[in-house]
Amino acid sequence: MPYFINVILPIPLEKLFTYSVSDAEAKFLEPGMRVAVPFGKSKIYSALVHEVHQTPPTVYEAKEIHQILDETPLVTKTQIKHWTWIANYYMCSIGEVFRTAVPSAFLLESETLILRNTKFEPEESELLDDEFLVYEALQHQSILRVHEISAILDKKTILPVLNRLLDKNIIVLKEEVYEQYKPKMVRYVRLGNQYLSEEKLEALLKSLTRAKKQTQVVLSLFQLQAISKKPIKVSELEEASKSSSAIIKTLIDKNILEEYFIQTDRVVYSKDDENSDLKDLNEYQQEALAVIKENFTQKKPTLLHGVTSSGKTEVYVKLIENCLKTGKQALYLLPEIALTTQLISRLQEYFGEKVAVYHSKYSVQERVEVWNNVLANKSKAQIVIGARSALFMPFKLLGLIIVDEEHESSFKQYDPAPRYHARDAAIVLANFHDGNILLGSATPSLETFYNVQVGKYGYASILRRFGDVLMPDIELVDIKEQSRKKRMKGHFSERLFNEINETLENGEQVILFQNRRGFAPIVECTTCGNSPQCPNCDVSLTYHQYKKQLRCHYCGYHIALPLACDACGSPTLDTKGFGTEQIEQELQKLYPEAKVGRMDLDTTRGKYGYEKIITAFEQQELDILVGTQMLTKGLDFRNVSLVGIMNADTLLNFPDFRAHERSFQLLTQVAGRAGRTKKRGKVLIQSYNPYHQILKQVSTGDFEGMYKEQLYERQQHKYPPVNRILKITFKHKDYNKINEAAEWFTKGLRNSFGVHVLGPEFPPVARIRNQYLKHVLIKIPNGQSLAKTKNSIKRIEKSFNAISQYASVRVIYNVDYI
Ligand code: ADP
Ligand code: ZN
Ligand code: ZN
């Protein structure tokens, strides 16, 4: 009897595909190994073996595989089980999950672009013949496709050669040509070499006698160096000498001090490096820990609800330590890894080289390395820390998952499929491993808190900040009234203006939050009312003053600011609304002495984007930081005593059923950046509607009140967490066709689900990159079978696809849409 294998192809195919293999191959192959297989007319893919069997396919003749690519499985059985769950739950193919889950180096296929690794000169004599041919070809032509290499070598089975070349660092794949992840650099200082002897130092101090502050800095540095051999951060020196960064800079300019940089993450730990001891928990942390452990004995997912700066991280650390003691691996999921170098170094201090970071910005080789370490359960990868895709690592024995900032919407993948929620998929994964899972947040999502209320999840809380630091004092400022009384300076109320002044005078820092980037969201002609639109999207262009440009935030289209109105020709274009850029400019006028920085998508795009700005602010080279919601993400700045929210109204008025919950979370998190050390922080929230219920709840820290009210709203309108929702998006470039197609599909849905179907409707921005979008929302009552619901939808899709004029309309499912 002949043998066959079913494989997962990394493409959106609904079914597994069957290939034939020899007896010997069948004996060798196991699920989770890769094979190179032909597909379609001329394509070659790396596919994953799902099972070996003896049943020939009925509707097609099984082709032979090209080659076996692995000697042992690269993917575990638990992973395949988990991926299958994701594919079923989120309505996509397991091939799409496979494609997202593994590093792209595992997915070599005929269309992959191959380049020579220019940073590496191989010893040519050590290359095998076929390797040399590829290497040589890449000297003449900088980019080759896999099928071109196949022609050069005159054979079909070339993926093994390419895998070898990848291992030997001789080639790289195209995606790596894009910007590489760069580590964060921290600025340190030391005394210039020439002053190291005592006499020289004395002479130096003498020469500085009239510069008191500079003398103080030099003396402090000298003392710090005497106490410890550790490098001294600029910020430490500033604190110790009670001076400013300007004075230190003067000394650097005079060559008395030297500055140098050390990267803070991706530190290589040697084996005998001593790890720092874990901190002793205070009574509140201990209590929370005990409750969590109790819930874990019942294998209950548990929420740790701790206010900002309550010391949640230290509790996580204890749990990780316990988990490692049992010989199991731990996974730490974060919403966005770019902003978390602070946390990574904290974990590395405790656990040294046991911490592995899985980062989409790391090179393919580094990602492959982490994958292999986790798969082999090496000591180097006992703790994996990463954003949502770290969920796909090949864990052997996963004892603990921590989902930090579980309320963050970036845990949900939006595009492409699988459109999974990492928090929810992590709960399933923990269950498959018989492990534990902790969700942490200062502002839990309604979904999670609801699960606590109905008894599905356990609950632990820490209601005060660590070290008896007070929660910030939050004050609402009525800007409607201030405007009426003509008390506004630009977008600043008198209150905020004075508070900033005072904070700066005290030598403390300010964070200002404005949720729009650019200078002004809209440019409008005051004569005819026309405002310039993006030609590719149905949206007004945003004005960016720095570049004197109008830009589209959806597709990147941009033009120079026109001198006159396109519609009527009058030179009367004016701006409406305001963004971070405008705030930055107003600040420079209002506080000419202050150093102002801005953190938004526009300023963080470049190479060291985030790191530069965060480090500058951390080291107090900036006095005021203006930014969008990037500011909310878990940053721990010590010297910030004032946080200002320029305008809370745009958040609250956003057309989405989650807008109020989001506003509460965002404002509470931004407020949490204030006063994280001894002195009580101050938060000012400007609004035209300061009596808004959500603002009151934010200012009093009334999470439960917010939860009750929002839950009531959701119950009234049958939204999550009391119902599930599934969003279907139709996408096509033709306006009439999308209307017809969406109407047809929705009729089918209405037949099955009646009033639970909403739409079809155009979203607020109905056309993006020349593609029209139309949405339908299906509400699925708790208790109605999700599987049956999805099957009915799939049946409707089948009939829909059979209609030839709709074949080109894309149908996109988003289960548990966020
Ligand atoms: P959260 O994650 O809840 O916002 P963190 O874990 O960042 O809070 O803790 C806030 C601050 O308190 C940090 O600077 C942390 O080092 C400190 N801290 C927390 N717990 C302890 C502890 N048990 N002993 C000493 N310092 C602690
Ligand atoms: Zn006009
Ligand atoms: Zn556009």
Side-chain angles (χ1 to χ4, degrees):
M1 279 255 281
Y3 280 95
F4 299 94
I5 54 172
N6 286 354
V7 303
I8 303 168
L9 287 159
I11 44 177
L13 287 180
E14 207 162 297
K15 294 195 171 137
L16 300 179
F17 229 67
T18 306
Y19 289 85
S20 75
V21 290
S22 68
D23 289 10
E25 285 169 335
K27 285 221 173 63
F28 182 78
L29 282 170
E30 287 175 54
M33 287 183 181
R34 287 172 311 149
V35 287
V37 296
F39 187 79
K41 270 206 189 101
S42 59
K43 289 213 171 82
I44 302 167
Y45 284 112
S46 301
L48 196 69
V49 177
H50 192 269
E51 66 209 314
V52 185
H53 60 88
Q54 296 201 292
T55 323
T58 47
V59 290
Y60 55 92
E61 176 116 16
K63 288 185 191 166
E64 285 174 14
I65 64 167
H66 271 335
Q67 181 100 26
I68 296 174
L69 295 174
D70 298 313
E71 288 181 5
T72 53
L74 198 72
V75 169
T76 67
K77 293 206 178 84
T78 313
Q79 277 180 292
I80 295 181
K81 186 170 155 197
H82 189 227
W83 297 359
T84 308
W85 179 86
I86 289 179
N88 285 335
Y89 188 87
Y90 292 104
M91 296 179 83
C92 64
S93 78
I94 188 166
E96 288 171 305
V97 185
F98 173 38
R99 177 171 274 296
T100 296
V102 303
S104 54
F106 292 163
L107 289 174
L108 282 176
E109 59 183 48
S110 43
E111 298 304 308
T112 307
L113 299 176
I114 312 281
L115 293 88
R116 192 161 72 84
N117 181 3
T118 48
K119 292 192 200 98
F120 182 75
E121 281 298 326
E123 204 59 60
E124 289 183 14
S125 58
E126 282 173 11
L127 296 179
L128 301 177
D129 285 353
D130 52 1
E131 293 170 0
F132 183 76
L133 282 175
V134 177
Y135 173 69
E136 197 188 27
L138 284 169
Q139 314 260 12
H140 299 296
Q141 201 173 336
S142 57
I143 296 181
L144 288 171
R145 277 174 207 283
V146 168
H147 65 84
E148 292 169 321
I149 296 180
S150 177
I152 292 166
L153 296 181
D154 193 25
K155 60 178 180 184
K156 275 187 179 167
T157 57
I158 61 152
L159 298 193
V161 185
L162 295 179
N163 278 324
R164 269 187 269 129
L165 287 167
L166 269 175
D167 282 346
K168 292 185 180 176
N169 259 324
I170 290 164
I171 58 170
V172 290
L173 307 181
K174 168 74 177 173
E175 58 151 24
E176 291 182 79
V177 180
Y178 299 121
E179 202 175 288
Q180 297 246 342
Y181 172 76
K182 283 293 188 317
K184 168 180 153 179
M185 308 295 274
V186 167
R187 203 153 69 97
Y188 292 89
V189 272
R190 58 188 164 215
L191 214 49
N193 255 333
Q194 65 274 33
Y195 301 112
L196 285 184
S197 75
E198 252 171 55
E199 305 106 68
K200 293 274 170 63
L201 185 67
E202 235 163 70
L204 169 65
L205 288 174
K206 242 182 220 148
S207 75
L208 288 177
T209 39
R210 260 181 295 156
K212 264 209 183 122
K213 283 188 171 167
Q214 295 182 16
T215 311
Q216 187 53 42
V217 170
V218 172
L219 280 174
S220 299
L221 182 60
F222 193 69
Q223 276 163 359
L224 284 173
Q225 282 181 342
I227 306 169
S228 134
K229 289 220 168 64
K230 273 199 193 155
I232 291 152
K233 286 186 200 164
V234 173
S235 51
E236 282 172 61
L237 178 59
E238 238 180 88
E239 210 179 300
S241 62
K242 300 196 174 50
S243 65
S244 69
S245 60
I247 295 169
I248 296 178
K249 187 165 182 305
T250 316
L251 287 165
I252 293 171
D253 291 343
K254 284 167 131 180
N255 278 328
I256 295 171
L257 301 188
E258 271 176 37
E259 63 176 341
Y260 62 107
F261 294 83
I262 301 179
Q263 69 184 55
T264 54
D265 61 339
R266 309 217 57 233
V267 192
V268 185
Y269 280 83
S270 67
K271 276 254 162 20
D272 44 54
D273 248 356
E274 264 181 55
N275 300 339
S276 318
D277 289 335
L278 268 55
K279 295 193 169 80
D280 291 327
L281 300 186
N282 69 15
E283 54 180 312
Y284 308 103
Q285 289 170 317
Q286 276 175 20
E287 209 176 297
L289 183 68
V291 175
I292 295 166
K293 282 185 175 164
E294 170 57 28
N295 279 293
F296 279 2
T297 58
Q298 305 167 41
K299 285 281 169 294
K300 244 188 182 181
T302 301
L303 168 66
L304 173 56
H305 183 185
V307 296
T308 52
S309 205
S310 58
K312 294 185 288 297
T313 318
E314 301 302 327
V315 177
Y316 303 157
V317 164
K318 282 277 193 276
L319 289 168
I320 293 173
E321 191 195 30
N322 285 340
C323 166
L324 296 193
K325 276 187 194 152
T326 65
K328 294 184 179 175
Q329 296 162 301
L331 168 64
Y332 193 133
L333 288 177
L334 293 155
E336 230 163 313
I337 195 99
L339 296 176
T340 48
T341 37
Q342 283 183 342
L343 176 78
I344 294 171
S345 36
R346 223 161 127 186
L347 288 182
Q348 279 174 334
E349 254 173 55
Y350 294 133
F351 300 111
E353 61 152 25
K354 290 198 184 109
V355 180
V357 183
Y358 191 72
H359 197 309
S360 63
K361 283 187 182 170
Y362 281 177
S363 72
V364 167
Q365 269 86 356
E366 285 167 309
R367 272 181 284 163
V368 168
E369 207 180 298
V370 176
W371 183 283
N372 290 334
N373 288 341
V374 174
L375 184 63
N377 201 2
K378 291 239 176 86
S379 72
K380 260 193 213 167
Q382 291 301 295
I383 306 162
V384 176
I385 169 165
R388 56 173 189 253
S389 62
L391 188 72
F392 295 115
M393 291 290 98
F395 297 102
K396 280 269 145 128
L397 272 171
L398 190 54
L400 173 70
I401 305 179
I402 284 163
V403 184
D404 196 7
E405 312 287 357
E406 66 85 26
H407 64 278
E408 277 284 338
S409 54
S410 62
F411 277 124
K412 182 85 159 65
Q413 174 148 313
Y414 183 69
D415 215 21
R419 297 179 173 79
Y420 66 104
H421 198 303
R423 174 195 63 214
D424 300 341
I427 287 185
V428 174
L429 184 67
N431 185 303
F432 285 172
H433 278 275
D434 202 24
N436 289 311
I437 179 162
L438 182 73
L439 314 178
S441 176
T443 51
S445 63
L446 249 59
E447 279 82 353
T448 295
F449 205 71
Y450 180 75
N451 280 327
V452 168
Q453 300 290 313
V454 298
K456 264 169 96 176
Y457 294 176
Y459 180 75
S461 63
I462 310 178
L463 298 176
R464 52 181 85 200
R465 291 182 147 188
F466 183 81
D468 294 325
V469 173
L470 289 170
M471 292 303 286
D473 166 27
I474 302 179
E475 179 183 326
L476 302 170
V477 181
D478 187 344
I479 40 178
K480 195 197 239 160
E481 165 145 334
Q482 295 248 327
S483 300
R484 203 168 42 80
K485 292 185 181 157
K486 303 232 168 346
R487 292 258 177 80
M488 297 290 285
K489 297 179 193 290
H491 295 94
F492 292 80
S493 60
E494 212 167 36
R495 257 320 265 128
L496 183 55
F497 174 79
N498 291 337
E499 247 349 287
I500 295 176
N501 243 341
E502 198 173 307
T503 309
L504 296 177
E505 274 167 19
N506 290 338
E508 292 156 354
Q509 290 171 293
V510 181
I511 284 181
L512 294 174
F513 172 77
Q514 168 59 13
N515 214 23
R516 277 215 156 104
R517 66 195 166 94
F519 187 82
I522 289 178
V523 175
E524 202 177 71
C525 170
T526 52
T527 308
C528 76
N530 179 58
S531 70
Q533 303 282 309
C534 175
N536 311 318
C537 312
D538 283 347
V539 69
S540 302
L541 296 169
T542 298
Y543 178 42
H544 287 240
Q545 191 177 54
Y546 171 67
K547 289 188 169 159
K548 298 249 180 307
Q549 269 180 351
L550 295 179
R551 302 190 74 95
C552 171
H553 285 183
Y554 287 84
C555 72
Y557 172 86
H558 52 92
I559 49 169
L561 179 71
L563 296 172
C565 168
D566 264 355
C568 74
S570 319
T572 49
L573 290 174
D574 198 8
T575 58
K576 267 178 94 171
F578 64 104
T580 44
E581 198 186 342
Q582 192 168 152
I583 297 301
E584 185 187 18
Q585 203 183 70
E586 287 183 4
L587 282 167
Q588 277 155 0
K589 286 203 191 104
L590 293 173
Y591 310 95
E593 304 279 290
K595 279 162 285 167
V596 181
R598 174 158 63 93
M599 185 156 96
D600 56 30
L601 254 188
D602 300 312
T603 60
T604 53
R605 240 188 273 270
K607 272 212 166 147
Y608 294 93
Y610 288 115
E611 279 75 13
K612 262 193 199 153
I613 299 171
I614 290 173
T615 308
F617 195 58
E618 234 169 27
Q619 307 214 347
Q620 298 176 35
E621 285 158 25
L622 296 172
D623 303 309
I624 307 176
L625 187 60
V626 188
T628 56
Q629 55 187 338
M630 280 180 192
L631 285 175
T632 57
K633 308 260 159 75
L635 295 167
D636 193 3
F637 299 120
R638 314 260 84 197
N639 195 42
V640 174
S641 58
L642 175 67
V643 166
I645 285 137
M646 298 306 299
N647 180 334
D649 305 316
T650 45
L651 286 175
L652 290 165
N653 299 333
F654 197 75
D656 183 284
F657 71 90
R658 286 192 174 92
H660 287 176
E661 178 191 358
R662 288 254 170 80
S663 307
F664 181 89
Q665 290 163 342
L666 203 62
L667 295 173
T668 307
Q669 295 283 351
V670 184
R673 302 308 117 212
R676 291 174 71 92
T677 42
K678 283 282 170 257
K679 192 181 160 190
R680 188 171 190 196
K682 177 98 195 161
V683 179
L684 292 180
I685 301 180
Q686 301 195 131
S687 168
Y688 281 95
N689 187 6
Y691 301 104
H692 197 291
Q693 199 54 11
I694 286 285
L695 296 183
K696 280 202 193 142
Q697 286 156 351
V698 170
S699 65
T700 53
D702 183 13
F703 175 82
E704 303 244 352
M706 183 282 294
Y707 172 78
K708 284 211 185 90
E709 262 180 43
Q710 293 307 311
L711 189 70
Y712 178 77
E713 292 286 312
R714 305 283 176 92
Q715 272 161 341
Q716 293 303 300
H717 300 103
K718 300 200 164 48
Y719 278 118
V722 286
N723 274 26
R724 290 181 182 286
I725 47 170
L726 189 162
K727 189 163 96 171
I728 307 179
T729 302
F730 302 92
K731 207 169 172 182
H732 198 273
K733 62 178 190 305
D734 186 301
Y735 180 78
N736 291 326
K737 185 173 275 188
I738 199 167
N739 279 329
E740 271 175 44
E743 211 44 68
W744 192 98
F745 204 114
T746 309
K747 227 182 233 164
L749 293 171
R750 283 236 160 73
N751 279 338
S752 302
F753 309 112
V755 294
H756 292 309
V757 180
L758 298 187
E761 233 171 47
F762 285 112
V765 180
R767 188 176 52 115
I768 294 176
R769 295 175 192 273
N770 286 315
Q771 297 271 333
Y772 285 98
L773 304 171
K774 210 155 186 183
H775 295 319
V776 176
L777 202 66
I778 304 172
K779 296 174 177 174
I780 307 169
N782 284 349
Q784 176 178 321
S785 157
L786 199 59
K788 276 193 193 143
T789 308
K790 288 175 191 164
N791 282 337
S792 314
I793 296 170
K794 283 278 180 193
R795 268 201 303 279
I796 297 167
E797 190 190 353
K798 278 227 169 77
S799 327
F800 177 85
N801 285 337
I803 303 171
S804 62
Q805 78 254 35
Y806 298 154
S808 56
V809 177
R810 272 191 68 198
V811 181
I812 298 163
Y813 297 109
N814 196 328
V815 180
D816 295 340
Y817 171 70
I818 278 189

